[in-house]
Amino acid sequence: MREWNEAVDYIEAHLADGVSGRALAAITLTSEYHFRRMFATLAGMPLSEYVRRRRMSIATGQILEGRGVLDVAVDF
């Protein structure tokens, strides 16, 4: 389970610059196919949807803090 927690940490650290399925598979010591299937089972949604929702959550928080929409859009 430690590897899966490391994978989530990797996702959080790389939201702005892109999440690599191949890197996540290497972290969890699985194939990319198996990682994506297991992630979808554990998270209840595909990896791409999880990343999209996390980006939107962070972007919303930044807009509410007063950053300009254009600046946030460029970041994400």
Side-chain angles (χ1 to χ4, degrees):
M1 210 54 198
R2 186 183 85 248
E3 291 86 3
W4 287 90
N5 289 331
E6 289 177 19
V8 172
D9 291 342
Y10 174 88
I11 292 169
E12 293 296 320
H14 292 88
L15 283 173
D17 58 342
V19 175
S20 166
R22 190 171 283 166
L24 291 166
I27 291 168
T28 56
L29 307 174
T30 64
S31 67
E32 186 174 352
Y33 172 78
H34 182 71
F35 174 82
R36 289 182 181 276
R37 289 203 51 193
M38 287 300 297
F39 185 90
T41 299
L42 294 171
M45 67 186 79
L47 175 62
S48 60
E49 181 67 19
Y50 178 82
V51 170
R52 185 175 14 263
R53 288 183 183 192
R54 286 296 301 134
R55 285 178 177 159
M56 291 299 289
S57 295
I58 292 171
T60 300
Q62 289 183 3
I63 290 170
L64 291 175
E65 290 173 354
R67 282 193 70 202
V69 175
L70 184 59
D71 294 332
V72 173
V74 169
D75 288 347
F76 291 97

